[in-house]
Amino acid sequence: MPADGRDLVSAPTVRTPAAVPRGPRVPRALRRHLGSIAGAGILAVLLWRLGTGVFLDGLRRIDAPTLLAALGIGLITTVFSAWRWVLVARGLRLRLPLAPAVGDYYRALFLNAALPGGVLGDVHRAVRHGRHAGDLARGVRAVVLERAAGQLALLGVGVVVLLTMPSPVRAATRQIAPLVGLAVLGVLAVGLALRMNRTPSRRGRALRATLGEARRALLSRHNGPGVAVSSLVVLAGHLTMFVLAARVAGSTAPVAVLTPLAVLALLAMGLPLNVGGWGPREGVTVWAFGAAGLGAGSGLGVAVVYGVLGLAASLPGAVVLVVRRRAPSTAEPHHAPGGHYPRSPPCGGTVTEVSSAIYAPKDSTSPASSSLPFSAEASEGRPMTPESV
């Protein structure tokens, strides 16, 4: 009690936390197009330093026989890429005939080359196939694994080429190779430990299931040889296209000198900082040609011609895009419930057998049931959109 006899009611002291200063937020639209902006910035710097004369000279050197050769190389690489996709999809128990796969792959290549980012065509390909197969999640994983197989083939061949053939990065590659080998061994050790761990963990089970799917799709007895052969043929086609671009651009360097430079350019194309594939490829090619003593301007010309030839090789995808837009909706493939199919044919089955089983009119009105987190059918009144992937 205080001295004057009044009760003292003490209110709790409320402490407001000090405001934490935040940095400027990057707009969402800017973050979405950051890779395209970076690719455009690389091209702008190259044109500023080397001028537009080399760029225009490379375009003028492209003639009709060169375009026909690019279309032929593109046909081979696209067919083998689609075959690899078919093998991976069947390894995940998804139906995918070869003929429609070739058309879808052509369309994806054209969208990759025509739209910013360089991957929107693959996203469209994954979502479309996943919906038609009745399992959107597995459709996306099939495309991811198919592209991963190509990148692994490029990395494996690239390491051998850069370690054995003269290039501006051979010394650095020989220093990094042991570290990369140790990292691979570490990943394999972690995978082995997870396989031996029998503790019922939800996350562990999901990881083991994912690794099991990847093994069946890429390394199984039925799929492994086909995936390896198709990946090597596709890589050989890209290297041939690069050598053709070098010859058209006026470079007389031997193939043994151009091969490691082509590997560096292809590795740079995998970076998500491009505008339809343009950007890092040109920057790395300019640097590699300059470091190899072939001239930075010559490297820019080769990269420009290679980009134009790659775009020309994907032009059949524009035809596929137009034709399928005009096709009636009843031609959409029929899928089995849950994305699985009974009596699945072996990987060596004919395209006609698989195509006749898939491309039939839709007569089922019951939604597909799946225990996976993604489904091709709408649930609870919410439509499935590509943004759900």
Side-chain angles (χ1 to χ4, degrees):
M1 294 290 293
D4 55 0
R6 290 178 300 173
D7 294 334
L8 180 62
V9 180
S10 59
T13 303
V14 179
R15 295 183 179 180
T16 58
V20 178
R22 297 182 179 179
R25 290 187 176 182
V26 180
R28 185 175 182 180
L30 182 60
R31 293 199 305 268
R32 190 185 307 123
H33 300 290
L34 189 60
S36 301
I37 294 174
I42 294 174
L43 290 177
V45 171
L46 292 177
L47 294 178
W48 171 57
R49 296 296 301 270
L50 301 177
T52 59
V54 177
F55 185 90
L56 298 176
D57 183 64
L59 295 179
R60 283 192 293 264
R61 290 175 176 267
I62 301 174
D63 53 9
T66 303
L67 293 177
L68 291 177
L71 285 172
I73 297 173
L75 175 62
I76 296 174
T77 57
T78 303
V79 170
F80 275 89
S81 297
W83 178 43
R84 181 176 62 195
W85 183 26
V86 168
L87 294 176
V88 173
R90 290 179 182 177
L92 298 181
R93 302 187 64 189
L94 294 177
R95 291 184 182 273
L96 181 61
L98 180 59
V102 172
D104 287 348
Y105 216 102
Y106 257 124
R107 178 174 54 188
L109 291 176
F110 174 74
L111 293 177
N112 285 342
L115 298 177
V119 296
L120 295 180
D122 291 321
V123 173
H124 181 267
R125 171 166 63 103
V127 172
R128 185 178 186 274
H129 174 231
R131 284 180 169 179
H132 292 173
D135 197 325
L136 183 58
R138 288 196 180 187
V140 172
R141 289 199 293 272
V143 172
V144 171
L145 290 175
E146 182 269 325
R147 292 302 301 267
Q151 293 298 317
L152 289 175
L154 174 59
L155 287 174
V157 174
V159 168
V160 175
V161 169
L162 296 178
L163 284 174
T164 58
M165 303 181 71
S167 71
V169 297
R170 183 168 66 173
T173 304
R174 290 179 174 178
Q175 294 177 355
I176 298 175
L179 300 178
V180 175
L182 291 176
V184 172
L185 290 177
V187 171
L188 293 177
V190 171
L192 182 60
L194 290 175
R195 185 178 181 86
M196 297 176 62
N197 183 18
R198 300 300 180 181
T199 304
S201 171
R202 181 179 179 182
R203 184 174 301 179
R205 287 194 301 267
L207 180 58
R208 284 194 294 270
T210 302
L211 294 177
E213 280 191 339
R215 181 186 58 81
R216 290 193 303 270
L218 302 179
L219 303 176
S220 65
R221 182 180 60 183
H222 297 290
N223 280 12
V227 170
V229 170
S230 59
S231 299
L232 292 178
V233 172
V234 172
L235 178 57
H238 291 322
L239 295 176
T240 304
M241 185 83 79
F242 189 89
V243 175
L244 174 63
R247 294 292 180 257
V248 172
S251 176
T252 59
V255 176
V257 176
L258 293 175
T259 299
L261 306 183
V263 168
L264 292 174
L266 293 176
L267 290 173
M269 287 178 61
L271 298 177
L273 303 173
N274 59 77
V275 183
W278 296 74
R281 176 185 61 206
E282 284 67 31
V284 170
T285 306
V286 167
W287 171 83
F289 269 70
L294 301 177
S298 177
L300 180 59
V302 172
V304 169
V305 174
Y306 181 87
V308 174
L309 295 183
L311 178 60
S314 69
L315 287 180
V319 179
V320 175
L321 186 63
V322 173
V323 170
R324 291 192 176 176
R325 275 187 174 275
R326 295 181 178 180
S329 59
T330 56
E332 297 295 343
H334 174 68
H335 58 76
H340 308 294
Y341 53 92
R343 299 186 304 275
S344 62
C347 294
T350 61
V351 174
T352 306
E353 295 173 354
V354 182
S355 180
S356 62
I358 300 176
Y359 283 73
K362 293 184 178 180
D363 55 358
S364 175
T365 58
S366 61
S369 61
S370 175
S371 60
L372 295 174
F374 298 102
S375 174
E377 300 292 341
S379 61
E380 301 179 3
R382 297 192 297 269
M384 179 62 68
T385 60
E387 289 78 6
S388 304
V389 181

